[in-house]
C-alpha cells in the first residue's frame, strides 16, 4: 500500500499516460460508440470489422460513398479520353496542402541524382569522387538490411566501400561538382575541407558508354592487343594485360595452368598445376597497383570533365524539346549511324545445288587403284588372294550382277555434258516436287477441315492482297500453259474435232446421286480406277474404324457408339439417308422400282386373266394407299391407275390454273403488248442503290485477275494525272491572277501618275 | 423467213441476264441485275409475280416441270428455291465460293445441279433435309458457264474450253475440247448433237457420240459476254445473240445466216424458244425482254 503511494525511483513509465477524462469517456460509452480518430480528428477504422483498413469513407476520399466508379462512356463520335492519373488523385487533403507548400518531390530513395539530405548534399558538393555509374539505375532496393546498416554507419550512395584513404595533399583549385549543380544562390560556399574521408577511388569506375557499331564480339578490341604483342609489351593504359615475359618464361607457373598439361609434362608435382596456384600471385601487368590507381583516377577526371562541360544548363534540349533528365547530358558527338546493306539479289539462273561438275571430275579422274595395284607399283609380292581361291569366276560374276541390281553400276557412265547435268538436276527437282504435291493431295480434304476450324491471324499488310493476287496469277498462268500444251487443244485449234478432241474417263457418282437419278451405282462392286475425290474418312481408315467398333466385343463400346448414332448429328451422312429411305420403302412394302414399270407391263401380264382374280393377285402399285377403298368395278380402277401415273401432272394443272386466276385478278397493266419498233424510249431513271454492272463476261479467272490488276494500275495513273493536272491548273490560275493584279496595279499607277 | 417483234416486256433494270419459257410455253421467268426474279405472261405482257431475296444480280434460273418451284442463282453465291404461287423461299443453298453461273433441275426435281465461277459443279439434294451438296465435281480448271441435265446425262461447259458430259448411269465422263472459252451448250431435241458457243465468235454443232464437228455457224460477234445459243423447237434453226445487238438465225443444215433479228439496244444474252409455237424469247443487257414470232 505504501509502496503504491510512493513509487520507487527505479520505476519507469512506459507509454502515454491516460488522462482521467479519457478514461471516463471510454467508461461511459459502449464499445460500439467508441471511435478512434487520427491526428486530424478524422475517424479511423470502419467497416464490419472496425479494425479494418483506414481508407475510404471519410478518410482519404472526400465523399461519403468512398471511391465512386467513374462513369465510362465512349461512342464513335465522341471518344472517351484516356484517364490520366495525377499524383494528386492519390493524395489526402493534408498531403495536398503540404504539396502546395513545398512542391511535389520524389523521395530520396527513388531519386539517386537529387541530394539525399542536407549533409550528404554538402558532402557531394565538395566530394571529389568520380561518378558511380551504377547510380544511374533510378530505383534500387534499399530495403536490404545490409544497405540499411551501412547507412547507419555513415555510408551513402555512390560512395565506395573499403578502407578510407588519406586526403590528397594540395586541394584542387577549381571545385568540380558532379551531378546536379545547385543554382548560384542556393549553393553553400563552403570552401573549407570538411571532408577527411575520401573513399578509395578505384571502385568508383568511370565508364564511358560507347555505342557498338562494329561487328566484333562484345568487348573485343581488334587492334590494341596485336600492337602490344608485336612490340612485346603493353601500353601503360591501365588495362590488364599479361606481360610477354610472363607468358614466354617457361619457369613461371601460370603458363602451365593457363595452357593445361600435356601428356609429356612429366612433372612430379602435378597438383600444383590444378589451381592451387593463383594468378594473383604473379605480376601480370607492367604497372604497379599505385600506377593503376593513378591511371584510373585520371580517366575518371577525364570523364568528369566531359560531363561537366555538358551538364551546365547551356540550353541543350532533347529532340522532343524537353530538358535532359537529371544526371544525364546530351552527347557531344552524334552516334554513328549503322549502315545497313540490302541482301544480294539472287540471279535467275541460280540452282540451289552444290556447283559440282561431274565432267571435270570425270575428266581429271585418276585411275582407281586398289591394294593389289598399289602393291604392284611398289614392287611388293602380292598376298595370296583368299577370294580367288574360294569363289569361282562364275559366282563372282553373279555377285557383281546382284550388286549391280541393288547399287549403282560399278562401271563409270560415259561423261555427260554440263548442260545435261543441269537439265537432270532441274528435272529431278521437278519430279520430287510433283511427288510431294501428289502426296499432299489426299490430305487436302483434311487440311480444309482443319482450316475451317482455325483461322489464321490476320496481319494488316497492304501488300498482302497484291502478293496473293500475283501468286494466284502465276498459278493460273501455269495451269493455262498446261492446258494450252495439251494435244486435245492443239487438235481443236486445228479443227480436228472427233477422236482427237475427245477423252473418256471414269466418273464416280455418289451413291445418293445415283439413287436420286434412279440408276444403279455404276461402280458398285467394282474398284473404280479414278475416284472423284478421296473421302477423308476413308483416308483416315474411318470405315475400318466403324467396323471395328461395331464388331467390338465390348458392350460398353458398342452401346456408346449406338448412343452416339441415336443422338445423331442433325446432318446425316448420305449412306445413312440411303439406308433409311430403303428401310422406309421396305416397311411400306413397295418395291422401290415399282414406279418405273408402266401399267402396260401389268396389263400384258394380267389382262388375259379374270379381272376378279386380278384384283386379288395384283399388288398395290401405288406407293400411297387410297384413303377410302371404293367399291367399284375392277376395270374402272384399272383406268384410274392408267390416268394417274404420278402426282406431278395433276399439280401442274393446279399450279397453272392458280396462276391464271392470279393473272385475272391483276389490274390491267399499262405496259401491255408494246407495239413493235418503239426505239426512242427514254432511258429509265435508276431509283435506289446503284445496280451492279450488267452482263456476265465469260472470261477466264486468269484474265479477270489480270484485268483487275490493270484496272488498279490505271486508276493509280489516272489519279496521279489528275493530281498533276490540278496542280497545273492551280499554277496557271495563280499566274493569271498575278498578272491581273500586276496589270491593275500598273493601271492604278498610271492613273495616279497621269 | 423473218422473225418479228410481237411483244416487249420491261424486264429488269441493270440488264436481264436470263429468260426461260416454262414447260408448255404459257409463262416465262426472267432474272436480272435488279436482284429479282419475275414471272410474266409473255402473250399479254403482264407481270404476274416478282420474287425478291437475292443480294446481287440473278444470273440463271431453272423452272421445274410441274411449275411449282423456281430455282435461281446469282452473284451472291446462293441458290434460292422459290414457291411459285406464294413467293416463299423454300430453300436457300449456300456452298459455292464464288458467283453461281448456272442451275438446273433433274427430271423429277429431286436434285439441283449448279455450276459456279469457283470451278466446281455441285449436286444438291432436294428430297432430304440436308443442306450440304451431295457431291462436288472439280474437273474444270476454270469458271463453269452452263449446266444442263438431260435424263441421266449432265452437260456442262467451262471457260477452260472443254465441254464435259457426265453419264451417271455409265459412270463416265466424256470431255470434248473446243479450245476456246465455251459460253453455252445445248443438246438437240433428239439428244444426239451438241450445240456449243464459244468466245471465238463461233457456234459449233457436234456429234454427241464421238465428238466430230458437223457444222459451224459464223458471222456474229461473241468475244466477251456469256451469250447463249439455242435450237428452234423443230431443230431446223440455230439462234445466237451477238455483240452487235442482233440475234443471228442460221439454217441448221446449210449453216447460212437466215435472218438477223434487230431490235435490242444491247447484246441479247439469253434466248429461249417456245416448246411448241414458233416464238422466240430474248433478253438483253439493255434490260428488255422481247418476244419474236416467225412470219
Amino acid at each position: 500500500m505504501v509502496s503504491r503511494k510512493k513509487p520507487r525511483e527505479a520505476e519507469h513509465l512506459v507509454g502515454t499516460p491516460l488522462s482521467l477524462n479519457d478514461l471516463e469517456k471510454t467508461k461511459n460509452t459502449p464499445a460500439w460508440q467508441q471511435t478512434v480518430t487520427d491526428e486530424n480528428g478524422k475517424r479511423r477504422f470502419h467497416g464490419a470489422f472496425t479494425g479494418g483498413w483506414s481508407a475510404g469513407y471519410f478518410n482519404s476520399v472526400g465523399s461519403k460513398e468512398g471511391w465512386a466508379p467513374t462513369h465510362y462512356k465512349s461512342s464513335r463520335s465522341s471518344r472517351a479520353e484516356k484517364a490520366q492519373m495525377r499524383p494528386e488523385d492519390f493524395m489526402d487533403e493534408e498531403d495536398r496542402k503540404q504539396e502546395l507548400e513545398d512542391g511535389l518531390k520524389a523521395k530520396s530513395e527513388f531519386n539517386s541524382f537529387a541530394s539525399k539530405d542536407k549533409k550528404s548534399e554538402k558532402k557531394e558538393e565538395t566530394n571529389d569522387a568520380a561518378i558511380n555509374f551504377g547510380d544511374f539505375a533510378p530505383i534500387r532496393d534499399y530495403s536490404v538490411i545490409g544497405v540499411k546498416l551501412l547507412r547507419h554507419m555513415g555510408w551513402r550512395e555512390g560512395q565506395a566501400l573499403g578502407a578510407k584513404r588519406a586526403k590528397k595533399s594540395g586541394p584542387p583549385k577549381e571545385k568540380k561538382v558532379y551531378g546536379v549543380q545547385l543554382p548560384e544562390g542556393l549553393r553553400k560556399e563552403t570552401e573549407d575541407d570538411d571532408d577527411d574521408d575520401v573513399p578509395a577511388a578505384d571502385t568508383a569506375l568511370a565508364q564511358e558508354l560507347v555505342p557498338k557499331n562494329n561487328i566484333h564480339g562484345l568487348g573485343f578490341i581488334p587492334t590494341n592487343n596485336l600492337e602490344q604483342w608485336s612490340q612485346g609489351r603493353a601500353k601503360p593504359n591501365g588495362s590488364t594485360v599479361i606481360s610477354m615475359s610472363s607468358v614466354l618464361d617457361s619457369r613461371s607457373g601460370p603458363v602451365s595452368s593457363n595452357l593445361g598439361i600435356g601428356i609429356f609434362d612429366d612433372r612430379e608435382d602435378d597438383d600444383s598445376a590444378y589451381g592451387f596456384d593463383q594468378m594473383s600471385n604473379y605480376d601480370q601487368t607492367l604497372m604497379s597497383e599505385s600506377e593503376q590507381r593513378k591511371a584510373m583516377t585520371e580517366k575518371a577526371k577525364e570523364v568528369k570533365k566531359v560531363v561537366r562541360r555538358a551538364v551546365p544548363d547551356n540550353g541543350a534540349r532533347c529532340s522532343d524539346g524537353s530538358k535532359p533528365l537529371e544526371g544525364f547530358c546530351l552527347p557531344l558527338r552524334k552516334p554513328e549511324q549503322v549502315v545497313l546493306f540490302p541482301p544480294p539479289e539472287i540471279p535467275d539462273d541460280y540452282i540451289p545445288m552444290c556447283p559440282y561438275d561431274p565432267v571435270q571430275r570425270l575428266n581429271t579422274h585418276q585411275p582407281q587403284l586398289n591394294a593389289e595395284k598399289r602393291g604392284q607399283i611398289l614392287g611388293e609380292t602380292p598376298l595370296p588372294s583368299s577370294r580367288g581361291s574360294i569363289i569361282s569366276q562364275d559366282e563372282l560374276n553373279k555377285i557383281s550382277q546382284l550388286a549391280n541390281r541393288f547399287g549403282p553400276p560399278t562401271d563409270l557412265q560415259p561423261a555427260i555434258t554440263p548442260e545435261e547435268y543441269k537439265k537432270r538436276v532441274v528435272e529431278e527437282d521437278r519430279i520430287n516436287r510433283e511427288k510431294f504435291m501428289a502426296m499432299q493431295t489426299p490430305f487436302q480434304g483434311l487440311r480444309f477441315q482443319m482450316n475451317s476450324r482455325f483461322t489464321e491471324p490476320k496481319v494488316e499488310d497492304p501488300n498482302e492482297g497484291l502478293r496473293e493476287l500475283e501468286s494466284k496469277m502465276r498459278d493460273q498462268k501455269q495451269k493455262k500453259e498446261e492446258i494450252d500444251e495439251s494435244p486435245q487443244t492443239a487438235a481443236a485449234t486445228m479443227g480436228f474435232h472427233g477422236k482427237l478432241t475427245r477423252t473418256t474417263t471414269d466418273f464416280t457418282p455418289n451413291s445418293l446421286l445415283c439413287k436420286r437419278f434412279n440408276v444403279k451405282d455404276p461402280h458398285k462392286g467394282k474398284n473404280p480406277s479414278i475416284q472423284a475425290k478421296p473421302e477423308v474418312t476413308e483416308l483416315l481408315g474411318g470405315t475400318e474404324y466403324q467396323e471395328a467398333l461395331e464388331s467390338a466385343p465390348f458392350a460398353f463400346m458398342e452401346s456408346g457408339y449406338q448412343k452416339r448414332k441415336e443422338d445423331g448429328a442433325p446432318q446425316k451422312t448420305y449412306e445413312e439417308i440411303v439406308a433409311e429411305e430403303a428401310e422406309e420403302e421396305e416397311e411400306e412394302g413397295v418395291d422401290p422400282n415399282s414406279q418405273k414399270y408402266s401399267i402396260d407391263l401389268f396389263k400384258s401380264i394380267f389382262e388375259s386373266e379374270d379381272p376378279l382374280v386380278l384384283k386379288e393377285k395384283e399388288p398395290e402399285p401405288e406407293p400411297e394407299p387410297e384413303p377410302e377403298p371404293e367399291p367399284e368395278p375392277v376395270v374402272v380402277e384399272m383406268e384410274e391407275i392408267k390416268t394417274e401415273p404420278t402426282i406431278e401432272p395433276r399439280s401442274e394443272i393446279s399450279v397453272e390454273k392458280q396462276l391464271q386466276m392470279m393473272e385475272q385478278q391483276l389490274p390491267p397493266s399499262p405496259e401491255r403488248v408494246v407495239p413493235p419498233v418503239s426505239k426512242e424510249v427514254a432511258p429509265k431513271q435508276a431509283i435506289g442503290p446503284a445496280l451492279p454492272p450488267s452482263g456476265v463476261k465469260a472470261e477466264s479467272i486468269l484474265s479477270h485477275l489480270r484485268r483487275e490488276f490493270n484496272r488498279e494500275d490505271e486508276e493509280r495513273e489516272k489519279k496521279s494525272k489528275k493530281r498533276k493536272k490540278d496542280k497545273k491548273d492551280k499554277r496557271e490560275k495563280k499566274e493569271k491572277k498575278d498578272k491581273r493584279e500586276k496589270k491593275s496595279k500598273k493601271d492604278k499607277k498610271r492613273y495616279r501618275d497621269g | 423467213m423473218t422473225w418479228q417483234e410481237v411483244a416487249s416486256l420491261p424486264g429488269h433494270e441493270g440488264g436481264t441476264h436470263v429468260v426461260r419459257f416454262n414447260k408448255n410455253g404459257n409463262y416465262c421467268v426472267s432474272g436480272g441485275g435488279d436482284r429479282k426474279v419475275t414471272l410474266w405472261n409473255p402473250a399479254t405482257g403482264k407481270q404476274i409475280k416478282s420474287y425478291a431475296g437475292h443480294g446481287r444480280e440473278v444470273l440463271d434460273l431453272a423452272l421445274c416441270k410441274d411449275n411449282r418451284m423456281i430455282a435461281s442463282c446469282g452473284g451472291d453465291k446462293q441458290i434460292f428455291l422459290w414457291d411459285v404461287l406464294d413467293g416463299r423461299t423454300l430453300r436457300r443453298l449456300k456452298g459455292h465460293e464464288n458467283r453461281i453461273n448456272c442451275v438446273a433441275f433433274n427430271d423429277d426435281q429431286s436434285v439441283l445441279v449448279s455450276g459456279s465461277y469457283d470451278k466446281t459443279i455441285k449436286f444438291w439434294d432436294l428430297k432430304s433435309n440436308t443442306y450440304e451438296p451431295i457431291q462436288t465435281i472439280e474437273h474444270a480448271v476454270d469458271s463453269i458457264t452452263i449446266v444442263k441435265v438431260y435424263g441421266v446425262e449432265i452437260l456442262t461447259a467451262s471457260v477452260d474450253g472443254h465441254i464435259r458430259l457426265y453419264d451417271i448411269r455409265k459412270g463416265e465422263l466424256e470431255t470434248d475440247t473446243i479450245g476456246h472459252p465455251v459460253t453455252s451448250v445445248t443438246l438437240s431435241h433428239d439428244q444426239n448433237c451438241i450445240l456449243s458457243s464459244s468466245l471465238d465468235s463461233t457456234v459449233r454443232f457436234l456429234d454427241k457420240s464421238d465428238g466430230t464437228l458437223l457444222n459451224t455457224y459464223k458471222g456474229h460477234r461473241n468475244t466477251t459476254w456469256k451469250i447463249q445459243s439455242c435450237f428452234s423447237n423443230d431443230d431446223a434453226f440455230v439462234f445466237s445473240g451477238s455483240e452487235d445487238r442482233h440475234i443471228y438465225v442460221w439454217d441448221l443444215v446449210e449453216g447460212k445466216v437466215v435472218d438477223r433479228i434487230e431490235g435490242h439496244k444491247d447484246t441479247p444474252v439469253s434466248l429461249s424458244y417456245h416448246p411448241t409455237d414458233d416464238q422466240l424469247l430474248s433478253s438483253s443487257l439493255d434490260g428488255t425482254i422481247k418476244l419474236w414470232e416467225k412470219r
Side-chain angles (χ1 to χ4, degrees):
Chain A
M1 288 288 160
V2 179
S3 64
R4 223 184 243 177
K5 276 173 189 173
K6 288 178 184 174
R8 268 173 280 176
E9 279 179 16
E11 235 173 311
H12 290 280
L13 213 65
V14 179
T16 322
L18 279 167
S19 68
L20 253 172
N21 281 347
D22 285 345
L23 269 175
E24 273 170 15
K25 256 187 205 169
T26 46
K27 232 182 196 175
N28 295 337
T29 46
W32 62 86
Q33 280 178 8
Q34 294 173 23
T35 52
V36 185
T37 53
D38 61 2
E39 65 266 29
N40 294 315
K42 279 186 175 177
R43 188 181 164 178
R44 291 194 102 121
F45 306 142
H46 14 152
F49 304 95
T50 43
W53 187 51
S54 64
Y57 183 52
F58 271 124
N59 256 356
S60 52
V61 189
S63 76
K64 207 175 176 181
E65 288 78 27
W67 271 302
T70 51
H71 192 71
Y72 181 80
K73 197 181 170 187
S74 176
S75 67
R76 199 180 291 175
S77 55
S78 60
R79 290 272 178 209
E81 275 177 31
K82 214 176 184 182
Q84 189 71 47
M85 290 305 205
R86 292 169 305 144
E88 288 84 37
D89 293 339
F90 301 97
M91 289 160 76
D92 292 345
E93 269 173 35
E94 314 93 74
D95 296 336
R96 250 178 245 168
K97 268 179 211 159
Q98 192 92 31
E99 187 220 334
L100 274 176
E101 279 167 20
D102 41 295
L104 199 65
K105 266 189 274 175
K107 270 191 173 178
S108 62
E109 290 159 48
F110 301 103
N111 190 3
S112 51
F113 299 113
S115 44
K116 277 85 198 176
D117 51 12
K118 300 231 160 163
K119 200 187 169 195
S120 70
E121 187 183 287
K122 193 175 73 188
K123 275 181 183 175
E124 207 148 301
E125 260 180 71
T126 52
N127 193 10
D128 231 356
I131 189 165
N132 187 345
F133 271 78
D135 266 358
F136 279 108
I139 296 170
R140 298 157 110 203
D141 188 14
Y142 288 118
S143 60
V144 179
I145 188 68
V147 177
K148 280 182 185 169
L149 277 171
L150 274 172
R151 269 199 190 156
H152 277 289
M153 286 160 72
W155 173 84
R156 58 192 156 69
E157 278 93 54
Q159 195 180 356
L161 298 172
K164 285 168 185 173
R165 277 194 299 128
K167 200 178 175 289
K168 275 187 274 175
S169 62
K173 283 176 185 173
E174 199 188 332
K175 242 194 210 168
K176 287 169 184 175
V177 178
Y178 204 68
V180 182
Q181 196 168 20
L182 281 170
E184 286 298 320
L186 286 172
R187 207 186 307 166
K188 282 180 186 171
E189 297 297 326
T190 46
E191 284 293 298
D192 54 325
D193 293 317
D194 54 345
D195 247 355
D196 53 350
D197 48 355
V198 179
D202 52 353
T203 48
L205 276 174
Q207 292 173 32
E208 203 178 353
L209 304 170
V210 183
K212 187 179 177 304
N213 289 333
N214 52 22
I215 51 167
H216 306 307
L218 273 178
F220 177 73
I221 304 159
T223 50
N224 64 352
N225 274 15
L226 258 179
E227 209 175 310
Q228 285 150 21
W229 282 113
S230 65
Q231 285 172 5
R233 60 193 189 86
K235 273 187 186 174
N237 61 351
S239 60
T240 54
V241 175
I242 299 169
S243 64
M244 203 65 187
S245 60
S246 70
V247 174
L248 297 174
D249 192 0
S250 61
R251 286 167 298 175
S252 65
V255 179
S256 58
S257 70
N258 268 344
L259 302 175
I261 297 171
I263 46 164
F264 300 113
D265 276 350
D266 194 17
R267 285 196 182 185
E268 288 175 359
D269 50 349
D270 272 353
D271 286 357
S272 64
Y274 286 107
F276 287 108
D277 213 352
Q278 283 184 348
M279 288 293 278
S280 58
N281 292 347
Y282 300 90
D283 190 17
Q284 292 180 335
T285 61
L286 292 176
M287 278 193 294
S288 66
E289 213 172 296
S290 57
E291 275 175 329
Q292 249 182 59
R293 209 171 288 141
K294 204 180 160 192
M296 211 73 101
T297 43
E298 265 171 22
K299 193 170 184 187
K301 273 179 190 170
E302 221 172 273
V303 173
K304 219 161 56 177
K305 265 184 208 162
V306 170
V307 177
R308 211 178 147 270
R309 252 182 284 146
V311 162
D313 190 15
N314 51 4
R317 291 284 184 274
C318 294
S319 56
D320 61 344
S322 62
K323 269 187 186 179
L325 271 179
E326 257 185 287
F328 287 88
C329 66
L330 290 174
L332 293 175
R333 53 193 150 85
K334 295 240 161 137
E336 284 173 47
Q337 288 292 318
V338 181
V339 186
L340 291 173
F341 297 99
E345 270 180 38
I346 299 165
D348 293 333
D349 56 342
Y350 172 71
I351 301 168
M353 297 280 284
C354 173
Y356 158 73
D357 193 353
V359 183
Q360 223 173 15
R361 216 203 74 164
L362 288 176
N363 291 345
T364 58
H365 177 243
Q366 302 233 327
Q368 273 194 330
L369 297 174
N370 54 15
E372 282 175 28
K373 278 179 186 171
R374 270 195 296 274
Q376 275 176 3
I377 290 165
L378 289 170
E380 286 172 354
T381 47
L383 290 162
S385 162
S386 59
R387 197 175 63 179
S389 60
I390 297 167
I391 308 166
S392 67
Q393 192 59 37
D394 290 349
E395 281 170 326
L396 259 178
N397 287 344
K398 269 184 196 170
I399 286 168
S400 67
Q401 271 176 7
L402 269 173
N404 284 353
R405 201 181 292 168
F406 295 116
T410 47
D411 292 335
L412 281 160
Q413 285 186 341
I416 47 168
T417 61
E419 285 78 33
E420 269 181 63
Y421 173 67
K422 221 176 212 179
K423 256 188 207 168
R424 208 178 286 175
V425 168
V426 172
E427 183 68 10
E428 269 174 20
D429 191 35
R430 192 184 61 79
I431 288 166
N432 284 340
R433 213 179 302 144
E434 271 173 14
K435 269 186 197 166
F436 175 69
M437 294 309 284
M439 290 281 282
Q440 272 197 325
T441 38
F443 296 99
Q444 267 174 357
L446 184 67
R447 205 197 303 154
F448 175 74
Q449 277 198 339
M450 287 302 175
N451 283 353
S452 63
R453 280 190 198 174
F454 304 106
T455 54
E456 281 180 14
K458 272 183 188 166
V459 184
E460 290 292 327
D461 184 1
N463 293 330
E464 186 73 14
L466 266 179
R467 229 172 285 135
E468 222 167 80
L469 202 68
E470 262 180 309
S471 68
K472 261 187 195 168
M473 275 183 77
R474 220 178 296 126
D475 289 355
Q476 292 293 332
K477 206 177 170 186
Q478 274 179 1
K479 260 189 184 171
K480 189 103 201 273
E481 276 165 7
E482 273 168 31
I483 298 159
D484 287 343
E485 276 167 18
S486 75
Q488 280 87 9
T489 319
T493 45
M494 287 163 80
F496 297 121
H497 288 272
K499 277 180 188 172
L500 290 173
T501 56
R502 167 156 292 195
T503 47
T504 308
T505 46
D506 269 357
F507 157 64
T508 315
N510 193 294
S511 58
L512 181 62
L513 190 69
C514 294
K515 194 183 143 52
R516 289 281 178 265
F517 275 86
N518 274 330
V519 292
K520 233 176 95 180
D521 194 339
H523 293 291
K524 205 174 185 182
K526 280 189 250 169
N527 191 16
S529 57
I530 297 165
Q531 280 270 333
K533 209 186 170 189
E535 296 285 330
V536 181
T537 48
E538 278 170 27
L539 279 171
L540 295 174
T543 46
E544 286 169 24
Y545 174 66
Q546 278 187 11
E547 278 168 21
L549 267 180
E550 274 161 350
S551 62
F554 310 109
F556 69 91
M557 247 175 127
E558 204 164 5
S559 65
Y561 178 59
Q562 289 290 344
K563 203 187 167 193
R564 196 147 49 86
K565 254 178 140 182
E566 279 160 21
D567 289 344
Q571 299 276 329
K572 293 167 185 170
T573 61
Y574 307 122
E575 286 73 22
E576 279 173 352
I577 292 168
V578 173
E580 267 179 28
E581 281 179 11
E583 269 175 31
E584 277 168 24
E585 275 159 3
E586 271 172 32
E587 276 169 20
E588 282 167 6
V590 181
D591 185 2
N593 293 331
S594 66
Q595 285 168 313
K596 283 204 291 187
Y597 303 137
S598 67
I599 203 69
D600 295 339
L601 184 71
F602 287 106
K603 263 187 179 178
S604 64
I605 297 165
F606 298 111
E607 213 166 31
S608 58
E609 291 184 29
D610 195 303
L612 281 166
V613 181
L614 171 70
K615 198 196 173 184
E616 283 170 16
K617 275 189 178 178
E618 191 191 343
E620 193 66 42
E622 278 196 37
E624 291 161 65
E626 296 269 314
E628 290 172 7
E630 290 161 348
E632 271 181 342
V634 184
V635 185
V636 180
E637 199 180 296
M638 282 296 291
E639 276 173 8
E640 264 188 0
I641 292 161
K642 221 190 277 176
T643 53
E644 194 195 341
T646 46
I647 312 156
E648 277 91 18
R650 191 171 55 182
S651 61
E652 183 192 349
I653 295 158
S654 71
V655 170
E656 192 112 325
K657 269 185 184 169
Q658 285 182 56
L659 279 176
Q660 275 173 17
M661 279 160 65
M662 274 168 72
E663 203 183 337
Q664 280 160 13
Q665 282 166 8
L666 283 170
S669 70
E671 295 170 290
R672 284 195 58 156
V673 184
V674 179
V677 200
S678 58
K679 280 175 187 170
E680 276 74 58
V681 182
K684 271 183 254 167
Q685 289 211 328
I687 302 159
L691 294 163
S694 64
V696 180
K697 279 186 181 171
E699 62 177 353
S700 72
I701 292 164
L702 176 72
S703 59
H704 172 77
L705 289 172
R706 206 174 283 152
R707 193 164 50 85
E708 290 283 303
F709 230 46
N710 290 339
R711 195 167 54 82
E712 270 174 23
D713 284 353
E714 273 170 21
E715 271 175 16
R716 222 174 294 137
E717 253 175 49
K718 263 187 199 168
K719 269 186 189 169
S720 66
K721 269 186 187 172
K722 209 193 164 191
R723 227 175 286 141
K724 275 181 192 168
K725 210 192 161 191
D726 286 354
K727 272 188 185 171
K728 210 183 166 188
D729 287 356
K730 267 188 188 171
R731 218 184 302 137
E732 277 174 4
K733 269 186 189 171
K734 212 185 169 187
E735 277 171 13
K736 272 184 187 174
K737 209 183 167 187
D738 287 355
K739 271 185 185 173
R740 228 181 292 140
E741 275 175 6
K742 272 183 188 172
K743 213 186 169 189
S744 65
K745 270 184 188 172
K746 267 186 188 172
D747 288 350
K748 274 181 191 171
K749 215 182 171 186
R750 216 180 289 153
Y751 178 73
R752 244 183 282 145
D753 293 348
Chain B
M1 203 173 298
T2 53
W3 273 262
Q4 296 210 325
E5 187 173 337
V6 179
S8 176
L9 309 175
H12 300 264
E13 275 176 42
T16 306
H17 294 141
V18 58
V19 66
R20 294 264 182 280
F21 269 118
N22 75 334
K23 202 198 169 192
N24 57 14
N26 291 345
Y27 296 95
C28 74
V29 194
S30 68
D34 59 356
R35 309 162 192 143
K36 279 177 189 159
V37 177
T38 313
L39 178 70
W40 313 84
N41 185 335
T44 61
K46 264 187 189 171
Q47 177 186 332
I48 299 161
K49 212 166 174 62
S50 184
Y51 309 89
H54 270 288
R56 299 193 72 170
E57 71 275 15
V58 178
L59 296 179
D60 198 15
L61 288 167
L63 263 159
C64 78
K65 279 181 181 165
D66 58 4
N67 290 335
R68 275 188 310 184
M69 285 190 294
I70 300 171
S72 66
C73 65
D76 57 357
K77 308 170 197 173
Q78 296 182 49
I79 302 166
F80 277 73
L81 266 181
W82 307 97
D83 189 306
V84 170
L85 287 174
D86 56 10
R88 274 183 306 137
T89 311
L90 298 172
R91 255 171 217 224
R92 223 166 62 170
L93 304 168
K94 293 181 197 173
H96 278 294
E97 286 159 24
N98 218 314
R99 66 156 204 258
I100 307 171
N101 285 331
C102 44
V103 278
F105 280 111
N106 73 339
D107 285 354
D108 59 353
Q109 296 107 46
S110 60
V111 174
L112 191 75
V113 193
S114 65
S116 158
Y117 189 76
D118 67 2
K119 313 178 216 171
T120 61
I121 298 163
K122 285 183 194 286
F123 293 92
W124 308 86
D125 190 4
L126 302 183
K127 260 192 172 173
S128 71
N129 253 338
T130 48
Y131 280 69
E132 296 285 312
I134 308 175
Q135 192 170 4
T136 302
I137 298 176
E138 293 171 346
H139 288 142
V141 294
D142 213 324
S143 170
I144 306 284
T145 49
I146 193 158
V147 162
K148 294 210 167 175
V149 182
Y150 298 97
V152 293
E153 288 174 332
I154 291 139
L155 187 64
T156 76
S158 163
V159 177
D160 64 7
H162 295 285
I163 300 170
R164 291 182 176 81
L165 185 71
Y166 296 91
D167 193 319
I168 293 178
R169 179 174 285 152
K170 284 195 227 163
E172 260 182 20
L173 159 64
E174 283 178 342
T175 310
D176 282 316
T177 310
I178 298 296
H180 299 276
V182 186
T183 59
S184 162
V185 276
T186 322
L187 275 194
S188 60
H189 288 86
D190 61 358
Q191 303 205 355
N192 284 330
C193 303
I194 302 171
L195 189 73
S196 88
S197 304
S198 47
L199 287 192
D200 57 342
S201 303
T202 313
V203 178
R204 287 183 175 81
F205 188 54
L206 304 162
D207 193 340
K208 194 185 95 177
S209 59
D210 58 359
T212 48
L213 186 68
L214 301 173
N215 213 341
T216 52
Y217 308 98
K218 286 185 178 179
H220 67 305
R221 199 175 78 221
N222 182 10
T223 51
T224 45
W225 302 110
K226 186 192 143 193
I227 296 175
Q228 291 170 8
S229 55
C230 74
F231 289 107
S232 63
N233 55 22
D234 54 357
D235 283 353
F237 299 102
V238 170
F239 301 85
S240 170
S242 167
E243 278 153 25
D244 58 7
R245 300 166 188 188
H246 300 306
I247 300 166
Y248 280 68
V249 188
W250 291 275
D251 189 282
L252 180 100
V253 182
E254 289 170 16
K256 284 178 188 166
V257 177
V258 179
D259 192 13
R260 277 172 48 188
I261 308 172
E262 203 179 329
H264 278 298
K265 288 201 275 300
D266 207 338
T267 312
V269 285
S270 179
L271 302 173
S272 180
Y273 208 87
H274 197 280
T276 49
D277 300 344
D278 278 334
Q279 284 182 337
L280 176 74
L281 261 181
S282 68
S283 79
S284 155
L285 293 183
D286 63 7
T288 54
I289 302 164
K290 287 183 193 290
L291 182 69
W292 316 88
E293 202 169 58
K294 193 165 97 176
R295 292 274 156 83

